[in-house]
Amino acid sequence: MLPVDSPEQVRARLEETGYLLDDGLAVACYLALRLHRPVFCEGDAGVGKTALASALAEALGAPLIRLQCHEGIDASQALYDWDFPRQLLHLRAAEAAGVKDADRLERELYDRRFLVARPLLRALQTQPSVLLVDEIDRADDEFEAFLLEVLSEFQVTIPELGTLRAEVPPVVVLTSNRTREVHDALKRRCLYHWFDHPGFARELAIVRRRLPEVSSRLAEQVTALVQALRAQDLLKPPGVAETLDWARALDALGANEVDAELAVATLGSVLKYREDTERARGLDFAAVLAGRGA
Amino acid sequence: MIGVTDTAAAGPPGADAALLGFARALRAAGVGASAERVHAFLRAVDALRPGVRDDVYWAGRLTLCGDRDDLERYERVFAAYFGTGEAPPRPVRTAPPPRLGLVVREAAVAARPDGPEDGPPQGPPAASLASSVEVLRHRDVAGLDPAERAQVRRLLAAFSLRGELRRTARRRPSRRGDVDPHRTVRELLRRGGEPALLRRHARAERPRRVVLLVDVSGSMAPYADALLRFAHAAARGRRTEVFTIGTRLTRVTRELSHRDPDLAMAAVAEAVPDWRGGTRLGELLREFLDRWGQRGMARGAVVVLLSDGWERGDPQLLAGQMRRLHRLAHRVVWANPRKARPGYAPLAAGMAAALPSVDAFVEGHSLASLEHLAAVVRGAESAPGTGGATPGRDVSAAAPASGDREPAPGTASVPAGARARPP
């Protein structure tokens, strides 16, 4: 699907879309493309798990098909469903036209045009495509077993139609926030990648790339502050998404650089818990800024 | 040390053997590298550059690991097996450093190689465990003769623990409720469009998740075995999670999933490194909330702490974390085996600090009290008949502190049946 023959090429292609990645993730994406294995992404919220799928889709020039998991999700929401109203309408129309051939009518009833393709089936039918199964940990375990079948064979069996198989398997990205342990049977068919928070240099690069309008000094200061905040003992350490939010917020205030006072005033865009905000007030913002300042 | 580069040059069979040996070493260290994963590993290395250290590292990490807890072990075994070479590709920061680590088996840490150079591949740091004899000693249920103990175990195995029911977003076919257009139309279709019965559906109800935190520290030793067996019976439902707390937090849900109670107990004994240590309730509760609870495990759940509240650390921290837990969970239940003693008052600093955030404070010393606990978890009001105290009021009650002291070894026990229930 994509003429890549090394992880470096994958990385270069993804970086063109503005998604910066480390060695491990580059290897993971490369193997996913080569071996047709899903990538299982775990990590804190806001570290770029979901963004990976959109970046892959953009790099491959393929549509992104997203399946958002939730409690109680089942096959008719994830795979396919029959369009009852249309089937009914079809019967009525046939009746009005005086069609008497019952067998034919029945066969027509389970025709492809009455099939409503949900994300999984759509991903198998669209080539190439990137399938994002988001927050798999929110679905029930029954659904995992079902997903397993689809992802290992890249085919589904519809009793009325037969087996549909993807000629080119989609690139699959699964994400989990670890609210629940996902079953090992599913995990072992995937490439497992743990997303860490990026280091200073890479995070700065991400900010610069995503927000070119923000002054370079501000970007550097915000990144340093977020890195310092992450080292604190916080309930919810800020992710890259929060760094970007913060930089955007400060930029919207017309700031070209940030001082301790302004940082505290805008802390609400990074920290979302009262306890965290209080703990962060103990941090010496001025010292962090001075360390990264001049 | 096996040089990746050399073996690769020697041809595929040698390289594969080295990789297979590495997978075996990983398995010995406790990473569940199944045959299927190893197969994927070999294919992945094949797709990359087999002689290049970084590529082998990432291929293995992506295919052989399945959990964040695996990463640290992987790192260690990789360094031991392939040598530390030129600085490992990237230090894996598996967890924010200042926090407590999860179970790291002690002997495995001791086996960390200091001088990686030469010599045969360091025996993989085998996860070693306290010998089973020692573990048994630690968990001795004092005061019970073997027959009684067997009986208690049998009775414990029959327990079930279901969470309080809650309404879900899903609907199920039902006699009452709203009209279900899907099924009604299908029914119509089946009868050729003739008006038929209206089908209805209503919201389904599901039990809430139950999270058990079992204290296995020294002061709880006489009860630990019985409480873990209780947890085993409870964990048969799939919506129950079990952790042990002591000096470390260990998730034992998977170990307890063995059907056979004795096998499950042996698995837990192997997984838990801190039998009979001290208790750091506050820190471990924070660890639990950071790593599991806040991400969703405790949300809307019934959280049960089985502990005597004997806190070695700062009670203020425990109080703060309990408040946090209380905000997350649907209900917080504290079962304290010491509560049944005459003259008991929650004077232990930890217990006093925790009580304001506890919804139900119950006993946990006998089968009868565990039955009662199960009823409370199912949603019954706290403490009819078992002399339940209202949390909060007890804190101020002046009573002899002796009721809350650590027991002399061998005095406390898990009595058989309701026999030892206090009058």
Side-chain angles (χ1 to χ4, degrees), chain A residues 10-42:
Chain A
V10 180
R11 185 209 297 258
R13 293 289 288 268
L14 282 173
E15 285 187 356
E16 277 168 29
T17 72
Y19 187 86
L20 307 186
L21 61 173
D22 61 17
D23 298 347
L25 194 52
V27 175
C29 295
Y30 172 68
L31 288 177
L33 291 170
R34 274 289 298 271
L35 306 179
H36 301 305
R37 275 187 163 245
V39 187
F40 189 95
C41 306
E42 255 185 4

PDB file of all heavy atoms in Angstrom, chain A residues 10-42:
ATOM      1  N   VAL A  10       9.030   5.650   7.210  1.00  0.00           N
ATOM      2  CA  VAL A  10       7.719   5.848   7.833  1.00  0.00           C
ATOM      3  C   VAL A  10       7.757   7.117   8.649  1.00  0.00           C
ATOM      4  O   VAL A  10       6.854   7.950   8.601  1.00  0.00           O
ATOM      5  CB  VAL A  10       7.365   4.656   8.745  1.00  0.00           C
ATOM      6  CG1 VAL A  10       6.018   4.869   9.386  1.00  0.00           C
ATOM      7  CG2 VAL A  10       7.379   3.371   7.963  1.00  0.00           C
ATOM      8  N   ARG A  11       8.848   7.263   9.405  1.00  0.00           N
ATOM      9  CA  ARG A  11       8.958   8.440  10.247  1.00  0.00           C
ATOM     10  C   ARG A  11       8.930   9.718   9.411  1.00  0.00           C
ATOM     11  O   ARG A  11       8.228  10.675   9.725  1.00  0.00           O
ATOM     12  CB  ARG A  11      10.267   8.376  11.039  1.00  0.00           C
ATOM     13  CG  ARG A  11      10.390   9.515  12.043  1.00  0.00           C
ATOM     14  CD  ARG A  11      11.837   9.865  12.268  1.00  0.00           C
ATOM     15  NE  ARG A  11      12.567   8.752  12.843  1.00  0.00           N
ATOM     16  CZ  ARG A  11      12.883   8.677  14.143  1.00  0.00           C
ATOM     17  NH1 ARG A  11      12.515   9.627  14.959  1.00  0.00           N
ATOM     18  NH2 ARG A  11      13.578   7.666  14.598  1.00  0.00           N
ATOM     19  N   ALA A  12       9.678   9.700   8.305  1.00  0.00           N
ATOM     20  CA  ALA A  12       9.730  10.896   7.460  1.00  0.00           C
ATOM     21  C   ALA A  12       8.340  11.214   6.921  1.00  0.00           C
ATOM     22  O   ALA A  12       7.908  12.376   6.938  1.00  0.00           O
ATOM     23  CB  ALA A  12      10.718  10.672   6.318  1.00  0.00           C
ATOM     24  N   ARG A  13       7.623  10.158   6.475  1.00  0.00           N
ATOM     25  CA  ARG A  13       6.289  10.394   5.923  1.00  0.00           C
ATOM     26  C   ARG A  13       5.345  10.961   6.972  1.00  0.00           C
ATOM     27  O   ARG A  13       4.542  11.848   6.700  1.00  0.00           O
ATOM     28  CB  ARG A  13       5.704   9.087   5.372  1.00  0.00           C
ATOM     29  CG  ARG A  13       6.427   8.547   4.176  1.00  0.00           C
ATOM     30  CD  ARG A  13       6.183   9.417   2.940  1.00  0.00           C
ATOM     31  NE  ARG A  13       4.836   9.264   2.419  1.00  0.00           N
ATOM     32  CZ  ARG A  13       4.506   8.386   1.476  1.00  0.00           C
ATOM     33  NH1 ARG A  13       5.421   7.611   0.958  1.00  0.00           N
ATOM     34  NH2 ARG A  13       3.276   8.308   1.051  1.00  0.00           N
ATOM     35  N   LEU A  14       5.450  10.427   8.189  1.00  0.00           N
ATOM     36  CA  LEU A  14       4.563  10.905   9.245  1.00  0.00           C
ATOM     37  C   LEU A  14       4.943  12.323   9.669  1.00  0.00           C
ATOM     38  O   LEU A  14       4.089  13.133  10.009  1.00  0.00           O
ATOM     39  CB  LEU A  14       4.609   9.970  10.445  1.00  0.00           C
ATOM     40  CG  LEU A  14       3.800   8.683  10.279  1.00  0.00           C
ATOM     41  CD1 LEU A  14       4.038   7.742  11.438  1.00  0.00           C
ATOM     42  CD2 LEU A  14       2.317   8.987  10.173  1.00  0.00           C
ATOM     43  N   GLU A  15       6.232  12.606   9.657  1.00  0.00           N
ATOM     44  CA  GLU A  15       6.641  13.947  10.073  1.00  0.00           C
ATOM     45  C   GLU A  15       6.179  14.997   9.085  1.00  0.00           C
ATOM     46  O   GLU A  15       5.936  16.137   9.453  1.00  0.00           O
ATOM     47  CB  GLU A  15       8.157  13.994  10.304  1.00  0.00           C
ATOM     48  CG  GLU A  15       8.490  13.295  11.606  1.00  0.00           C
ATOM     49  CD  GLU A  15       9.936  13.404  12.044  1.00  0.00           C
ATOM     50  OE1 GLU A  15      10.724  13.984  11.275  1.00  0.00           O
ATOM     51  OE2 GLU A  15      10.245  12.908  13.130  1.00  0.00           O
ATOM     52  N   GLU A  16       6.045  14.598   7.833  1.00  0.00           N
ATOM     53  CA  GLU A  16       5.505  15.548   6.854  1.00  0.00           C
ATOM     54  C   GLU A  16       4.093  16.000   7.251  1.00  0.00           C
ATOM     55  O   GLU A  16       3.688  17.112   6.955  1.00  0.00           O
ATOM     56  CB  GLU A  16       5.420  14.894   5.469  1.00  0.00           C
ATOM     57  CG  GLU A  16       6.728  14.922   4.710  1.00  0.00           C
ATOM     58  CD  GLU A  16       6.667  14.019   3.494  1.00  0.00           C
ATOM     59  OE1 GLU A  16       5.559  13.824   2.946  1.00  0.00           O
ATOM     60  OE2 GLU A  16       7.717  13.494   3.113  1.00  0.00           O
ATOM     61  N   THR A  17       3.358  15.112   7.914  1.00  0.00           N
ATOM     62  CA  THR A  17       1.998  15.483   8.310  1.00  0.00           C
ATOM     63  C   THR A  17       1.983  16.266   9.609  1.00  0.00           C
ATOM     64  O   THR A  17       0.922  16.649  10.082  1.00  0.00           O
ATOM     65  CB  THR A  17       1.116  14.235   8.499  1.00  0.00           C
ATOM     66  OG1 THR A  17       1.539  13.584   9.707  1.00  0.00           O
ATOM     67  CG2 THR A  17       1.226  13.281   7.354  1.00  0.00           C
ATOM     68  N   GLY A  18       3.145  16.450  10.217  1.00  0.00           N
ATOM     69  CA  GLY A  18       3.198  17.220  11.458  1.00  0.00           C
ATOM     70  C   GLY A  18       3.133  16.344  12.691  1.00  0.00           C
ATOM     71  O   GLY A  18       2.963  16.837  13.794  1.00  0.00           O
ATOM     72  N   TYR A  19       3.260  15.045  12.544  1.00  0.00           N
ATOM     73  CA  TYR A  19       3.249  14.155  13.700  1.00  0.00           C
ATOM     74  C   TYR A  19       4.667  13.666  13.933  1.00  0.00           C
ATOM     75  O   TYR A  19       5.239  12.972  13.091  1.00  0.00           O
ATOM     76  CB  TYR A  19       2.303  12.978  13.433  1.00  0.00           C
ATOM     77  CG  TYR A  19       2.089  12.095  14.630  1.00  0.00           C
ATOM     78  CD1 TYR A  19       1.116  12.394  15.572  1.00  0.00           C
ATOM     79  CD2 TYR A  19       2.864  10.959  14.835  1.00  0.00           C
ATOM     80  CE1 TYR A  19       0.917  11.601  16.678  1.00  0.00           C
ATOM     81  CE2 TYR A  19       2.674  10.157  15.945  1.00  0.00           C
ATOM     82  CZ  TYR A  19       1.698  10.485  16.857  1.00  0.00           C
ATOM     83  OH  TYR A  19       1.507   9.684  17.954  1.00  0.00           O
ATOM     84  N   LEU A  20       5.259  14.071  15.066  1.00  0.00           N
ATOM     85  CA  LEU A  20       6.641  13.696  15.337  1.00  0.00           C
ATOM     86  C   LEU A  20       6.662  12.444  16.210  1.00  0.00           C
ATOM     87  O   LEU A  20       5.913  12.353  17.171  1.00  0.00           O
ATOM     88  CB  LEU A  20       7.359  14.829  16.063  1.00  0.00           C
ATOM     89  CG  LEU A  20       7.286  16.186  15.382  1.00  0.00           C
ATOM     90  CD1 LEU A  20       8.161  17.186  16.106  1.00  0.00           C
ATOM     91  CD2 LEU A  20       7.708  16.097  13.925  1.00  0.00           C
ATOM     92  N   LEU A  21       7.510  11.495  15.879  1.00  0.00           N
ATOM     93  CA  LEU A  21       7.483  10.254  16.646  1.00  0.00           C
ATOM     94  C   LEU A  21       8.883   9.776  16.976  1.00  0.00           C
ATOM     95  O   LEU A  21       9.855  10.174  16.318  1.00  0.00           O
ATOM     96  CB  LEU A  21       6.696   9.163  15.910  1.00  0.00           C
ATOM     97  CG  LEU A  21       7.132   8.674  14.548  1.00  0.00           C
ATOM     98  CD1 LEU A  21       6.286   7.492  14.148  1.00  0.00           C
ATOM     99  CD2 LEU A  21       6.985   9.738  13.484  1.00  0.00           C
ATOM    100  N   ASP A  22       8.981   8.929  17.991  1.00  0.00           N
ATOM    101  CA  ASP A  22      10.287   8.424  18.404  1.00  0.00           C
ATOM    102  C   ASP A  22      10.599   7.100  17.700  1.00  0.00           C
ATOM    103  O   ASP A  22       9.787   6.584  16.936  1.00  0.00           O
ATOM    104  CB  ASP A  22      10.370   8.296  19.932  1.00  0.00           C
ATOM    105  CG  ASP A  22       9.321   7.325  20.471  1.00  0.00           C
ATOM    106  OD1 ASP A  22       8.792   6.549  19.662  1.00  0.00           O
ATOM    107  OD2 ASP A  22       9.035   7.369  21.666  1.00  0.00           O
ATOM    108  N   ASP A  23      11.791   6.555  17.991  1.00  0.00           N
ATOM    109  CA  ASP A  23      12.240   5.338  17.307  1.00  0.00           C
ATOM    110  C   ASP A  23      11.234   4.203  17.417  1.00  0.00           C
ATOM    111  O   ASP A  23      10.880   3.568  16.428  1.00  0.00           O
ATOM    112  CB  ASP A  23      13.546   4.833  17.929  1.00  0.00           C
ATOM    113  CG  ASP A  23      14.651   5.845  17.773  1.00  0.00           C
ATOM    114  OD1 ASP A  23      14.449   6.784  16.972  1.00  0.00           O
ATOM    115  OD2 ASP A  23      15.680   5.710  18.448  1.00  0.00           O
ATOM    116  N   GLY A  24      10.796   3.946  18.659  1.00  0.00           N
ATOM    117  CA  GLY A  24       9.948   2.793  18.904  1.00  0.00           C
ATOM    118  C   GLY A  24       8.665   2.866  18.101  1.00  0.00           C
ATOM    119  O   GLY A  24       8.233   1.889  17.494  1.00  0.00           O
ATOM    120  N   LEU A  25       8.082   4.047  18.080  1.00  0.00           N
ATOM    121  CA  LEU A  25       6.817   4.192  17.374  1.00  0.00           C
ATOM    122  C   LEU A  25       7.031   4.058  15.864  1.00  0.00           C
ATOM    123  O   LEU A  25       6.190   3.489  15.158  1.00  0.00           O
ATOM    124  CB  LEU A  25       6.193   5.541  17.722  1.00  0.00           C
ATOM    125  CG  LEU A  25       4.737   5.705  17.325  1.00  0.00           C
ATOM    126  CD1 LEU A  25       3.913   4.555  17.837  1.00  0.00           C
ATOM    127  CD2 LEU A  25       4.200   7.015  17.860  1.00  0.00           C
ATOM    128  N   ALA A  26       8.170   4.556  15.388  1.00  0.00           N
ATOM    129  CA  ALA A  26       8.462   4.419  13.957  1.00  0.00           C
ATOM    130  C   ALA A  26       8.563   2.942  13.593  1.00  0.00           C
ATOM    131  O   ALA A  26       8.003   2.500  12.579  1.00  0.00           O
ATOM    132  CB  ALA A  26       9.752   5.149  13.612  1.00  0.00           C
ATOM    133  N   VAL A  27       9.262   2.181  14.428  1.00  0.00           N
ATOM    134  CA  VAL A  27       9.387   0.746  14.165  1.00  0.00           C
ATOM    135  C   VAL A  27       8.000   0.097  14.224  1.00  0.00           C
ATOM    136  O   VAL A  27       7.649  -0.726  13.375  1.00  0.00           O
ATOM    137  CB  VAL A  27      10.337   0.078  15.184  1.00  0.00           C
ATOM    138  CG1 VAL A  27      10.358  -1.421  14.983  1.00  0.00           C
ATOM    139  CG2 VAL A  27      11.741   0.635  15.037  1.00  0.00           C
ATOM    140  N   ALA A  28       7.212   0.508  15.219  1.00  0.00           N
ATOM    141  CA  ALA A  28       5.868  -0.077  15.360  1.00  0.00           C
ATOM    142  C   ALA A  28       5.033   0.172  14.103  1.00  0.00           C
ATOM    143  O   ALA A  28       4.389  -0.739  13.596  1.00  0.00           O
ATOM    144  CB  ALA A  28       5.176   0.509  16.589  1.00  0.00           C
ATOM    145  N   CYS A  29       5.070   1.407  13.599  1.00  0.00           N
ATOM    146  CA  CYS A  29       4.267   1.724  12.413  1.00  0.00           C
ATOM    147  C   CYS A  29       4.772   0.952  11.198  1.00  0.00           C
ATOM    148  O   CYS A  29       3.986   0.456  10.388  1.00  0.00           O
ATOM    149  CB  CYS A  29       4.312   3.217  12.117  1.00  0.00           C
ATOM    150  SG  CYS A  29       3.555   4.185  13.401  1.00  0.00           S
ATOM    151  N   TYR A  30       6.079   0.862  11.102  1.00  0.00           N
ATOM    152  CA  TYR A  30       6.656   0.136   9.975  1.00  0.00           C
ATOM    153  C   TYR A  30       6.235  -1.332   9.999  1.00  0.00           C
ATOM    154  O   TYR A  30       5.781  -1.889   8.985  1.00  0.00           O
ATOM    155  CB  TYR A  30       8.175   0.267  10.022  1.00  0.00           C
ATOM    156  CG  TYR A  30       8.893  -0.599   9.021  1.00  0.00           C
ATOM    157  CD1 TYR A  30       8.791  -0.329   7.655  1.00  0.00           C
ATOM    158  CD2 TYR A  30       9.666  -1.682   9.431  1.00  0.00           C
ATOM    159  CE1 TYR A  30       9.443  -1.128   6.731  1.00  0.00           C
ATOM    160  CE2 TYR A  30      10.320  -2.478   8.513  1.00  0.00           C
ATOM    161  CZ  TYR A  30      10.201  -2.207   7.168  1.00  0.00           C
ATOM    162  OH  TYR A  30      10.826  -2.994   6.260  1.00  0.00           O
ATOM    163  N   LEU A  31       6.332  -1.941  11.190  1.00  0.00           N
ATOM    164  CA  LEU A  31       5.941  -3.350  11.306  1.00  0.00           C
ATOM    165  C   LEU A  31       4.440  -3.524  11.062  1.00  0.00           C
ATOM    166  O   LEU A  31       4.015  -4.515  10.482  1.00  0.00           O
ATOM    167  CB  LEU A  31       6.314  -3.889  12.685  1.00  0.00           C
ATOM    168  CG  LEU A  31       7.805  -4.100  12.917  1.00  0.00           C
ATOM    169  CD1 LEU A  31       8.055  -4.568  14.335  1.00  0.00           C
ATOM    170  CD2 LEU A  31       8.376  -5.110  11.933  1.00  0.00           C
ATOM    171  N   ALA A  32       3.666  -2.546  11.513  1.00  0.00           N
ATOM    172  CA  ALA A  32       2.219  -2.639  11.285  1.00  0.00           C
ATOM    173  C   ALA A  32       1.929  -2.683   9.795  1.00  0.00           C
ATOM    174  O   ALA A  32       1.071  -3.434   9.336  1.00  0.00           O
ATOM    175  CB  ALA A  32       1.515  -1.454  11.934  1.00  0.00           C
ATOM    176  N   LEU A  33       2.670  -1.886   9.029  1.00  0.00           N
ATOM    177  CA  LEU A  33       2.444  -1.859   7.585  1.00  0.00           C
ATOM    178  C   LEU A  33       2.975  -3.116   6.912  1.00  0.00           C
ATOM    179  O   LEU A  33       2.357  -3.657   6.001  1.00  0.00           O
ATOM    180  CB  LEU A  33       3.132  -0.629   6.976  1.00  0.00           C
ATOM    181  CG  LEU A  33       2.527   0.723   7.347  1.00  0.00           C
ATOM    182  CD1 LEU A  33       3.417   1.851   6.907  1.00  0.00           C
ATOM    183  CD2 LEU A  33       1.153   0.859   6.726  1.00  0.00           C
ATOM    184  N   ARG A  34       4.120  -3.564   7.389  1.00  0.00           N
ATOM    185  CA  ARG A  34       4.733  -4.722   6.743  1.00  0.00           C
ATOM    186  C   ARG A  34       4.029  -6.023   7.096  1.00  0.00           C
ATOM    187  O   ARG A  34       3.774  -6.865   6.247  1.00  0.00           O
ATOM    188  CB  ARG A  34       6.207  -4.836   7.166  1.00  0.00           C
ATOM    189  CG  ARG A  34       7.176  -4.033   6.338  1.00  0.00           C
ATOM    190  CD  ARG A  34       7.350  -4.608   4.936  1.00  0.00           C
ATOM    191  NE  ARG A  34       7.882  -5.951   4.901  1.00  0.00           N
ATOM    192  CZ  ARG A  34       9.172  -6.228   4.871  1.00  0.00           C
ATOM    193  NH1 ARG A  34      10.065  -5.260   4.876  1.00  0.00           N
ATOM    194  NH2 ARG A  34       9.585  -7.482   4.829  1.00  0.00           N
ATOM    195  N   LEU A  35       3.763  -6.217   8.386  1.00  0.00           N
ATOM    196  CA  LEU A  35       3.245  -7.506   8.855  1.00  0.00           C
ATOM    197  C   LEU A  35       1.726  -7.515   9.013  1.00  0.00           C
ATOM    198  O   LEU A  35       1.159  -8.504   9.441  1.00  0.00           O
ATOM    199  CB  LEU A  35       3.879  -7.874  10.205  1.00  0.00           C
ATOM    200  CG  LEU A  35       5.400  -7.873  10.270  1.00  0.00           C
ATOM    201  CD1 LEU A  35       5.862  -8.229  11.659  1.00  0.00           C
ATOM    202  CD2 LEU A  35       6.005  -8.845   9.263  1.00  0.00           C
ATOM    203  N   HIS A  36       1.073  -6.394   8.710  1.00  0.00           N
ATOM    204  CA  HIS A  36      -0.381  -6.284   8.850  1.00  0.00           C
ATOM    205  C   HIS A  36      -0.833  -6.639  10.250  1.00  0.00           C
ATOM    206  O   HIS A  36      -1.735  -7.433  10.450  1.00  0.00           O
ATOM    207  CB  HIS A  36      -1.097  -7.174   7.836  1.00  0.00           C
ATOM    208  CG  HIS A  36      -0.739  -6.827   6.431  1.00  0.00           C
ATOM    209  ND1 HIS A  36      -0.888  -5.558   5.928  1.00  0.00           N
ATOM    210  CD2 HIS A  36      -0.198  -7.565   5.437  1.00  0.00           C
ATOM    211  CE1 HIS A  36      -0.472  -5.544   4.682  1.00  0.00           C
ATOM    212  NE2 HIS A  36      -0.040  -6.742   4.360  1.00  0.00           N
ATOM    213  N   ARG A  37      -0.139  -6.068  11.219  1.00  0.00           N
ATOM    214  CA  ARG A  37      -0.547  -6.284  12.601  1.00  0.00           C
ATOM    215  C   ARG A  37      -1.109  -4.998  13.153  1.00  0.00           C
ATOM    216  O   ARG A  37      -0.583  -3.927  12.866  1.00  0.00           O
ATOM    217  CB  ARG A  37       0.658  -6.670  13.461  1.00  0.00           C
ATOM    218  CG  ARG A  37       0.944  -8.128  13.392  1.00  0.00           C
ATOM    219  CD  ARG A  37       2.016  -8.518  14.354  1.00  0.00           C
ATOM    220  NE  ARG A  37       1.932  -9.944  14.506  1.00  0.00           N
ATOM    221  CZ  ARG A  37       1.607 -10.558  15.631  1.00  0.00           C
ATOM    222  NH1 ARG A  37       1.380  -9.875  16.706  1.00  0.00           N
ATOM    223  NH2 ARG A  37       1.518 -11.866  15.676  1.00  0.00           N
ATOM    224  N   PRO A  38      -2.142  -5.083  13.963  1.00  0.00           N
ATOM    225  CA  PRO A  38      -2.648  -3.862  14.603  1.00  0.00           C
ATOM    226  C   PRO A  38      -1.630  -3.315  15.600  1.00  0.00           C
ATOM    227  O   PRO A  38      -0.843  -4.080  16.161  1.00  0.00           O
ATOM    228  CB  PRO A  38      -3.897  -4.344  15.339  1.00  0.00           C
ATOM    229  CG  PRO A  38      -4.233  -5.668  14.753  1.00  0.00           C
ATOM    230  CD  PRO A  38      -2.951  -6.258  14.273  1.00  0.00           C
ATOM    231  N   VAL A  39      -1.630  -2.010  15.793  1.00  0.00           N
ATOM    232  CA  VAL A  39      -0.788  -1.408  16.827  1.00  0.00           C
ATOM    233  C   VAL A  39      -1.679  -1.125  18.033  1.00  0.00           C
ATOM    234  O   VAL A  39      -2.707  -0.480  17.901  1.00  0.00           O
ATOM    235  CB  VAL A  39      -0.169  -0.076  16.356  1.00  0.00           C
ATOM    236  CG1 VAL A  39       0.820   0.426  17.389  1.00  0.00           C
ATOM    237  CG2 VAL A  39       0.508  -0.257  15.020  1.00  0.00           C
ATOM    238  N   PHE A  40      -1.280  -1.638  19.180  1.00  0.00           N
ATOM    239  CA  PHE A  40      -2.038  -1.423  20.397  1.00  0.00           C
ATOM    240  C   PHE A  40      -1.370  -0.310  21.192  1.00  0.00           C
ATOM    241  O   PHE A  40      -0.247  -0.478  21.655  1.00  0.00           O
ATOM    242  CB  PHE A  40      -2.063  -2.721  21.205  1.00  0.00           C
ATOM    243  CG  PHE A  40      -3.003  -2.683  22.370  1.00  0.00           C
ATOM    244  CD1 PHE A  40      -4.274  -3.182  22.249  1.00  0.00           C
ATOM    245  CD2 PHE A  40      -2.609  -2.142  23.573  1.00  0.00           C
ATOM    246  CE1 PHE A  40      -5.151  -3.145  23.319  1.00  0.00           C
ATOM    247  CE2 PHE A  40      -3.482  -2.094  24.640  1.00  0.00           C
ATOM    248  CZ  PHE A  40      -4.757  -2.603  24.517  1.00  0.00           C
ATOM    249  N   CYS A  41      -2.011   0.835  21.320  1.00  0.00           N
ATOM    250  CA  CYS A  41      -1.382   1.994  21.948  1.00  0.00           C
ATOM    251  C   CYS A  41      -1.937   2.199  23.348  1.00  0.00           C
ATOM    252  O   CYS A  41      -3.142   2.326  23.524  1.00  0.00           O
ATOM    253  CB  CYS A  41      -1.655   3.264  21.147  1.00  0.00           C
ATOM    254  SG  CYS A  41      -1.184   3.133  19.432  1.00  0.00           S
ATOM    255  N   GLU A  42      -1.042   2.259  24.305  1.00  0.00           N
ATOM    256  CA  GLU A  42      -1.461   2.561  25.659  1.00  0.00           C
ATOM    257  C   GLU A  42      -0.654   3.733  26.166  1.00  0.00           C
ATOM    258  O   GLU A  42       0.501   3.902  25.774  1.00  0.00           O
ATOM    259  CB  GLU A  42      -1.220   1.348  26.579  1.00  0.00           C
ATOM    260  CG  GLU A  42      -2.480   0.625  26.939  1.00  0.00           C
ATOM    261  CD  GLU A  42      -2.245  -0.490  27.941  1.00  0.00           C
ATOM    262  OE1 GLU A  42      -1.119  -0.678  28.428  1.00  0.00           O
ATOM    263  OE2 GLU A  42      -3.199  -1.180  28.237  1.00  0.00           O
TER     264      GLU A  42
END
